[in-house]
Amino acid sequence: KGNLYPWGNTFNASYVNSGQDYTRKEGPQRGAIDGFNAWSPVNALRNDRSPFGVIAMGGNVSEWTNDIVPNSKSSSLPAAVVRGGNFTDTSEKDFQTTRRITNILPEDERFFIGIRLVSDTPPNSE
């Protein structure tokens, strides 16, 4: 449908595990909007749902893909393509669910990158 977000075109910080309430500092602001300062269980935010019933595609962690492209910071190096927003994206105006990162070496790791697994079986509600 061309929506900006899985649930529609209006951003709502409580619908997705974004960086709107992420901080490395201790305090009450940690996870104050969505309930999670860092990672959340896949089925924790029920409003992060597409019209097709796919959940948790708007944030939480960025997705490590299988694609390798020239590095955007140094074209002589390879980069793994990392897609999507994550819980460290603190942009208040423009949370990017379709962000594309091309400056991470294939052998590097980041705590905000994960993988997506697909299943026809809904996750446990526990």
Side-chain angles (χ1 to χ4, degrees), residues 7-82:
W7 55 86
N9 288 318
T10 303
F11 180 73
N12 185 323
S14 68
Y15 282 17
V16 62
N17 188 4
S18 70
Q20 306 301 300
D21 58 0
Y22 171 73
T23 180
R24 292 178 187 233
K25 300 176 186 174
E26 292 296 325
Q29 70 277 20
R30 292 177 64 129
I33 296 172
D34 57 33
F36 302 95
N37 187 53
W39 312 273
S40 67
V42 171
N43 61 341
L45 300 169
R46 293 296 188 178
N47 289 318
D48 184 2
R49 176 181 300 273
S50 78
F52 308 102
V54 179
I55 59 173
M57 294 298 287
N60 205 15
V61 295
S62 294
E63 178 182 356
W64 191 275
T65 73
N66 194 39
D67 297 330
I68 304 293
V69 297
N71 194 301
S72 61
K73 290 190 176 174
S74 175
S75 61
S76 64
L77 296 172
V81 176
V82 176

Side-chain angles (χ1 to χ4, degrees), residues 2 4-5 11 13 27-28 43 48 50 56 59 73 80 91-92 101 106 111-113 124-125:
L4 294 174
Y5 308 102
F11 180 73
N43 61 341
D48 184 2
S50 78
K73 290 190 176 174
S91 172
E92 291 184 26
I101 304 167
F111 70 107
F112 57 84
I113 299 174
N124 290 335
S125 59

